[in-house]
Amino acid sequence: LCPPPAATSSDEEDDSDSSTKPIRSEKKKNPVSLFQTGGDPPKEKKTKKKAPPKAAKSDEETPETPPKNSNKKGKGKKSKKTKEERPPSPVIEVDNLEEFVLRPAPQGVTIKCRVTRDKKGMDRGLYPTYYVHLDNDKKVFLLAGRKRKKSKTSNYLISIDPTDLSRGGENFIGKLRSNLMGTKFTVFDNGANPDRANADWSNVRQELSAVVYETNVLGFKGPRRMTVIIPGMNADNERVPIRPRNDNDGLLMRWQNKNMDNVIELHNKTPVWNDETQSYVLNFHGRVTHASVKNFQIVHSSDPDYIVMQFGRVADDAFTMDYNYPLCAVQAFAIALSSFDGKLACE
Protein backbone atom coordinates (compact mmCIF):
# COMPACT_ATOMS: atom_id res chain seq x y z
CA LEU A 1 0.00 0.00 0.00
CA CYS A 2 1.48 3.35 -1.01
CA PRO A 3 0.77 6.44 1.07
CA PRO A 4 -1.40 9.01 -0.67
CA PRO A 5 0.76 11.33 -2.75
CA ALA A 6 1.40 14.78 -1.34
CA ALA A 7 0.69 17.75 -3.52
CA THR A 8 4.12 18.85 -4.62
CA SER A 9 5.85 19.45 -7.89
CA SER A 10 9.28 18.00 -8.60
CA ASP A 11 10.84 21.44 -8.34
CA GLU A 12 13.90 21.28 -6.09
CA GLU A 13 12.61 24.05 -3.85
CA ASP A 14 9.02 22.86 -3.56
CA ASP A 15 8.11 22.70 0.07
CA SER A 16 4.91 20.82 0.60
CA ASP A 17 5.93 17.46 1.96
CA SER A 18 6.26 17.57 5.71
CA SER A 19 5.14 20.21 8.13
CA THR A 20 5.37 20.41 11.85
CA LYS A 21 2.73 19.50 14.36
CA PRO A 22 3.71 19.15 18.00
CA ILE A 23 2.69 16.02 19.84
CA ARG A 24 3.76 15.15 23.36
CA SER A 25 7.42 14.50 23.95
CA GLU A 26 8.29 11.22 25.63
CA LYS A 27 11.36 10.61 27.77
CA LYS A 28 13.08 7.40 26.72
CA LYS A 29 15.67 5.11 28.24
CA ASN A 30 19.34 5.75 27.57
CA PRO A 31 19.84 4.85 23.89
CA VAL A 32 23.65 4.58 23.98
CA SER A 33 23.55 0.80 23.65
CA LEU A 34 21.87 1.15 20.21
CA PHE A 35 25.10 2.50 18.76
CA GLN A 36 27.69 0.25 20.41
CA THR A 37 29.22 -2.26 18.05
CA GLY A 38 32.30 -3.26 20.03
CA GLY A 39 35.06 -2.42 17.61
CA ASP A 40 38.73 -2.25 18.52
CA PRO A 41 39.73 0.99 20.20
CA PRO A 42 41.44 3.11 17.54
CA LYS A 43 45.18 2.52 17.29
CA GLU A 44 46.18 6.09 16.72
CA LYS A 45 47.62 9.03 18.57
CA LYS A 46 45.11 10.14 21.14
CA THR A 47 44.74 13.82 21.82
CA LYS A 48 44.41 14.75 25.45
CA LYS A 49 40.87 13.94 26.54
CA LYS A 50 38.88 17.01 27.42
CA ALA A 51 35.94 17.09 29.73
CA PRO A 52 32.69 16.91 27.76
CA PRO A 53 31.15 20.31 27.02
CA LYS A 54 29.16 21.81 29.86
CA ALA A 55 25.49 21.92 29.09
CA ALA A 56 22.74 23.87 30.74
CA LYS A 57 19.75 21.66 31.30
CA SER A 58 17.40 23.70 29.19
CA ASP A 59 15.92 20.91 27.17
CA GLU A 60 12.35 21.23 28.37
CA GLU A 61 10.23 22.19 25.41
CA THR A 62 7.76 25.00 25.84
CA PRO A 63 4.34 24.25 24.42
CA GLU A 64 3.57 26.26 21.34
CA THR A 65 0.84 26.59 18.79
CA PRO A 66 1.36 24.30 15.84
CA PRO A 67 2.09 26.22 12.66
CA LYS A 68 -0.82 26.08 10.28
CA ASN A 69 0.19 24.25 7.15
CA SER A 70 -1.71 25.65 4.20
CA ASN A 71 -0.43 23.32 1.51
CA LYS A 72 -3.75 22.00 0.27
CA LYS A 73 -3.76 19.54 -2.58
CA GLY A 74 -2.76 21.16 -5.82
CA LYS A 75 -1.22 24.20 -4.15
CA GLY A 76 2.40 24.14 -3.03
CA LYS A 77 2.04 27.00 -0.57
CA LYS A 78 4.39 27.43 2.36
CA SER A 79 2.99 27.47 5.84
CA LYS A 80 2.57 30.86 7.44
CA LYS A 81 5.42 31.76 9.73
CA THR A 82 4.50 31.57 13.38
CA LYS A 83 5.94 33.91 15.96
CA GLU A 84 6.96 31.50 18.68
CA GLU A 85 10.62 31.38 19.70
CA ARG A 86 12.57 28.27 18.84
CA PRO A 87 13.91 26.56 21.96
CA PRO A 88 17.61 27.56 21.95
CA SER A 89 20.67 25.37 22.26
CA PRO A 90 22.04 24.59 25.71
CA VAL A 91 25.31 26.32 26.63
CA ILE A 92 28.00 24.52 24.63
CA GLU A 93 31.69 25.18 25.17
CA VAL A 94 33.63 25.13 21.89
CA ASP A 95 37.24 25.28 23.00
CA ASN A 96 39.00 23.67 20.03
CA LEU A 97 36.80 23.99 16.94
CA GLU A 98 38.45 21.23 14.90
CA GLU A 99 38.13 18.79 17.79
CA PHE A 100 34.58 19.88 18.62
CA VAL A 101 33.09 19.40 15.14
CA LEU A 102 34.43 15.83 14.90
CA ARG A 103 33.52 14.85 18.47
CA PRO A 104 30.21 13.04 19.07
CA ALA A 105 27.59 15.09 20.88
CA PRO A 106 27.71 14.51 24.65
CA GLN A 107 25.18 11.92 25.78
CA GLY A 108 21.93 13.48 26.89
CA VAL A 109 22.62 16.85 25.22
CA THR A 110 20.98 18.00 22.00
CA ILE A 111 23.31 20.33 20.11
CA LYS A 112 21.05 22.81 18.35
CA CYS A 113 22.41 24.58 15.29
CA ARG A 114 21.25 26.93 12.58
CA VAL A 115 22.19 26.47 8.92
CA THR A 116 22.07 29.52 6.65
CA ARG A 117 22.33 29.45 2.87
CA ASP A 118 24.04 32.34 1.09
CA LYS A 119 23.08 32.65 -2.58
CA LYS A 120 24.36 36.21 -3.10
CA GLY A 121 27.21 37.14 -5.41
CA MET A 122 28.84 35.57 -8.45
CA ASP A 123 27.62 32.03 -9.17
CA ARG A 124 26.26 31.68 -5.61
CA GLY A 125 22.89 30.93 -7.18
CA LEU A 126 24.33 27.67 -8.50
CA TYR A 127 26.91 27.17 -5.75
CA PRO A 128 25.54 28.60 -2.51
CA THR A 129 27.68 28.63 0.60
CA TYR A 130 26.15 27.05 3.69
CA TYR A 131 27.13 28.07 7.22
CA VAL A 132 26.49 26.32 10.54
CA HIS A 133 26.32 28.26 13.80
CA LEU A 134 25.25 27.17 17.27
CA ASP A 135 21.65 28.32 17.67
CA ASN A 136 22.13 30.33 20.83
CA ASP A 137 22.89 33.90 21.90
CA LYS A 138 26.56 33.74 20.95
CA LYS A 139 25.88 32.28 17.47
CA VAL A 140 29.24 30.50 17.52
CA PHE A 141 30.44 29.61 14.02
CA LEU A 142 31.08 25.89 13.50
CA LEU A 143 31.30 24.96 9.81
CA ALA A 144 30.96 26.19 6.24
CA GLY A 145 30.28 24.09 3.14
CA ARG A 146 30.17 24.66 -0.59
CA LYS A 147 29.75 22.54 -3.70
CA ARG A 148 32.92 22.24 -5.75
CA LYS A 149 32.82 23.41 -9.33
CA LYS A 150 34.11 21.31 -12.23
CA SER A 151 33.41 18.08 -10.41
CA LYS A 152 31.79 15.15 -12.25
CA THR A 153 29.62 14.32 -9.27
CA SER A 154 28.30 16.50 -6.46
CA ASN A 155 31.22 17.20 -4.19
CA TYR A 156 30.95 19.50 -1.17
CA LEU A 157 33.92 20.79 0.80
CA ILE A 158 33.42 21.34 4.53
CA SER A 159 35.65 23.84 6.34
CA ILE A 160 36.12 25.22 9.85
CA ASP A 161 36.78 28.68 8.37
CA PRO A 162 33.87 30.66 6.87
CA THR A 163 36.14 32.30 4.27
CA ASP A 164 38.53 29.48 3.34
CA LEU A 165 36.74 26.76 1.40
CA SER A 166 39.77 25.39 -0.44
CA ARG A 167 40.67 21.70 -0.68
CA GLY A 168 44.32 22.34 0.12
CA GLY A 169 43.78 24.74 2.99
CA GLU A 170 44.44 23.81 6.59
CA ASN A 171 40.80 24.52 7.47
CA PHE A 172 39.48 21.70 5.28
CA ILE A 173 37.76 19.31 7.72
CA GLY A 174 35.74 16.97 5.52
CA LYS A 175 33.85 16.41 2.31
CA LEU A 176 30.63 14.98 0.97
CA ARG A 177 30.74 13.12 -2.34
CA SER A 178 27.82 11.72 -4.35
CA ASN A 179 27.53 8.94 -6.91
CA LEU A 180 26.76 9.79 -10.53
CA MET A 181 23.01 9.47 -9.97
CA GLY A 182 23.10 11.83 -7.02
CA THR A 183 21.27 9.32 -4.82
CA LYS A 184 24.12 7.99 -2.65
CA PHE A 185 26.54 10.12 -0.68
CA THR A 186 29.68 9.40 1.33
CA VAL A 187 31.09 11.68 4.03
CA PHE A 188 34.87 11.72 4.63
CA ASP A 189 37.03 13.48 7.19
CA ASN A 190 40.18 15.35 6.12
CA GLY A 191 42.53 12.36 6.07
CA ALA A 192 44.62 11.30 3.07
CA ASN A 193 43.42 9.41 0.00
CA PRO A 194 44.28 5.66 0.30
CA ASP A 195 46.79 6.16 -2.56
CA ARG A 196 48.85 8.29 -0.20
CA ALA A 197 48.70 6.00 2.83
CA ASN A 198 51.61 5.77 5.24
CA ALA A 199 52.87 2.39 6.44
CA ASP A 200 50.43 1.90 9.33
CA TRP A 201 47.47 3.43 7.43
CA SER A 202 46.83 5.89 10.28
CA ASN A 203 46.78 8.97 8.03
CA VAL A 204 44.11 7.62 5.68
CA ARG A 205 40.75 9.37 5.65
CA GLN A 206 37.88 7.93 7.64
CA GLU A 207 34.37 7.53 6.30
CA LEU A 208 32.09 9.27 8.77
CA SER A 209 28.73 8.54 7.19
CA ALA A 210 26.86 7.52 4.05
CA VAL A 211 23.39 8.62 2.93
CA VAL A 212 21.16 6.74 0.51
CA TYR A 213 18.03 8.31 -1.00
CA GLU A 214 15.52 5.82 -2.29
CA THR A 215 14.77 6.51 -5.93
CA ASN A 216 11.15 7.33 -6.49
CA VAL A 217 10.64 5.16 -9.55
CA LEU A 218 6.84 5.29 -9.58
CA GLY A 219 6.77 9.05 -9.39
CA PHE A 220 4.67 9.24 -6.23
CA LYS A 221 5.17 12.64 -4.71
CA GLY A 222 5.45 11.28 -1.20
CA PRO A 223 8.07 12.08 1.43
CA ARG A 224 11.69 11.26 0.73
CA ARG A 225 13.11 8.06 2.14
CA MET A 226 16.63 8.25 3.50
CA THR A 227 18.96 5.63 4.92
CA VAL A 228 21.92 6.93 6.91
CA ILE A 229 24.87 4.62 7.63
CA ILE A 230 27.37 5.57 10.32
CA PRO A 231 30.30 3.84 12.07
CA GLY A 232 29.36 2.25 15.39
CA MET A 233 30.79 3.28 18.76
CA ASN A 234 33.26 1.25 20.82
CA ALA A 235 33.11 0.53 24.55
CA ASP A 236 34.74 3.92 25.27
CA ASN A 237 31.96 5.66 23.32
CA GLU A 238 34.41 6.62 20.59
CA ARG A 239 33.67 6.27 16.89
CA VAL A 240 35.08 3.06 15.38
CA PRO A 241 37.43 4.23 12.60
CA ILE A 242 36.30 3.07 9.15
CA ARG A 243 39.25 3.56 6.78
CA PRO A 244 38.42 1.87 3.47
CA ARG A 245 41.39 0.74 1.38
CA ASN A 246 39.31 1.04 -1.79
CA ASP A 247 35.78 1.83 -2.97
CA ASN A 248 34.63 -1.74 -2.29
CA ASP A 249 35.37 -1.46 1.41
CA GLY A 250 33.42 1.68 2.29
CA LEU A 251 30.24 2.15 4.31
CA LEU A 252 28.00 1.95 1.23
CA MET A 253 29.45 -1.36 0.04
CA ARG A 254 29.39 -2.84 3.55
CA TRP A 255 25.75 -1.84 3.86
CA GLN A 256 24.85 -3.17 0.39
CA ASN A 257 26.62 -6.46 1.18
CA LYS A 258 24.87 -6.61 4.59
CA ASN A 259 28.27 -6.66 6.29
CA MET A 260 27.20 -4.61 9.31
CA ASP A 261 30.18 -5.18 11.62
CA ASN A 262 30.86 -1.86 13.35
CA VAL A 263 28.21 -0.19 11.18
CA ILE A 264 24.86 1.30 12.26
CA GLU A 265 21.88 1.82 9.96
CA LEU A 266 19.50 4.70 10.60
CA HIS A 267 16.43 5.95 8.69
CA ASN A 268 14.37 9.07 8.40
CA LYS A 269 11.21 8.94 10.45
CA THR A 270 8.18 8.45 8.23
CA PRO A 271 5.89 11.49 8.36
CA VAL A 272 2.22 10.83 8.97
CA TRP A 273 -0.42 11.94 6.48
CA ASN A 274 -2.75 14.52 7.97
CA ASP A 275 -6.17 14.74 6.31
CA GLU A 276 -6.93 18.10 7.89
CA THR A 277 -3.92 19.86 6.38
CA GLN A 278 -3.62 17.52 3.37
CA SER A 279 0.08 17.13 4.02
CA TYR A 280 2.64 14.90 5.70
CA VAL A 281 3.49 15.98 9.24
CA LEU A 282 6.31 15.37 11.69
CA ASN A 283 6.70 16.68 15.24
CA PHE A 284 9.74 18.97 15.52
CA HIS A 285 8.82 20.42 18.96
CA GLY A 286 8.85 24.01 17.79
CA ARG A 287 12.27 23.83 16.11
CA VAL A 288 10.88 23.90 12.56
CA THR A 289 8.26 26.38 11.37
CA HIS A 290 7.99 25.95 7.56
CA ALA A 291 6.75 22.95 5.62
CA SER A 292 9.48 21.64 3.32
CA VAL A 293 10.39 18.51 1.40
CA LYS A 294 13.78 18.88 3.08
CA ASN A 295 12.51 18.54 6.65
CA PHE A 296 13.56 15.24 8.20
CA GLN A 297 14.31 13.39 11.41
CA ILE A 298 16.83 10.54 11.60
CA VAL A 299 16.13 7.67 14.02
CA HIS A 300 17.25 4.14 14.87
CA SER A 301 14.54 1.59 14.10
CA SER A 302 14.86 0.12 17.61
CA ASP A 303 13.98 3.44 19.26
CA PRO A 304 12.11 5.80 16.89
CA ASP A 305 11.51 8.28 19.73
CA TYR A 306 15.23 9.03 20.10
CA ILE A 307 15.93 11.66 17.44
CA VAL A 308 19.56 11.21 16.35
CA MET A 309 19.25 14.28 14.12
CA GLN A 310 16.57 16.61 12.83
CA PHE A 311 16.70 19.25 10.13
CA GLY A 312 14.06 21.67 8.91
CA ARG A 313 13.24 25.04 7.44
CA VAL A 314 12.57 28.13 9.53
CA ALA A 315 12.92 30.79 6.76
CA ASP A 316 13.64 30.89 3.03
CA ASP A 317 17.37 30.42 3.52
CA ALA A 318 17.56 29.34 7.15
CA PHE A 319 17.20 25.90 8.70
CA THR A 320 17.61 24.34 12.12
CA MET A 321 19.91 21.34 12.48
CA ASP A 322 19.88 19.53 15.81
CA TYR A 323 21.94 16.46 16.55
CA ASN A 324 22.45 14.05 19.41
CA TYR A 325 24.92 11.32 20.38
CA PRO A 326 26.53 9.59 18.50
CA LEU A 327 26.64 12.16 15.68
CA CYS A 328 29.20 14.94 15.42
CA ALA A 329 28.70 18.31 13.71
CA VAL A 330 30.51 17.29 10.51
CA GLN A 331 28.31 14.19 10.12
CA ALA A 332 25.11 16.14 10.74
CA PHE A 333 26.08 19.01 8.41
CA ALA A 334 27.08 16.64 5.60
CA ILE A 335 23.78 14.75 5.90
CA ALA A 336 21.96 18.10 5.73
CA LEU A 337 24.01 19.17 2.67
CA SER A 338 23.02 15.96 0.89
CA SER A 339 19.36 16.96 1.25
CA PHE A 340 20.02 20.21 -0.67
CA ASP A 341 21.45 18.41 -3.66
CA GLY A 342 19.15 18.22 -6.70
CA LYS A 343 18.22 14.55 -6.92
CA LEU A 344 15.71 14.36 -9.76
CA ALA A 345 14.93 10.71 -9.10
CA CYS A 346 14.09 11.29 -5.44
CA GLU A 347 11.60 14.11 -5.48
Side-chain angles (χ1 to χ4, degrees), residues 5 13 50 52 60 81 109 150 173-176 198 228 255 258 269 276 278 289 300 328 335:
E13 280 298 319
K50 297 218 165 137
E60 288 77 35
K81 191 168 184 185
V109 177
K150 299 177 186 157
I173 193 82
K175 72 171 188 174
L176 170 75
N198 57 17
V228 173
W255 173 74
K258 300 192 166 39
K269 199 168 188 176
E276 194 184 317
Q278 293 292 294
T289 54
H300 192 292
C328 68
I335 294 165

Side-chain angles (χ1 to χ4, degrees), residues 93 117 225 259 261 291:
E93 298 293 330
R117 173 172 54 188
R225 292 169 66 91
N259 168 18
D261 291 346

Side-chain angles (χ1 to χ4, degrees), residues 224-245:
R224 291 174 172 179
R225 292 169 66 91
M226 302 164 67
T227 300
V228 173
I229 305 125
I230 57 171
M233 307 298 278
N234 66 21
D236 297 331
N237 296 320
E238 294 170 332
R239 197 181 301 115
V240 177
I242 305 278
R243 289 197 171 90
R245 290 169 185 258

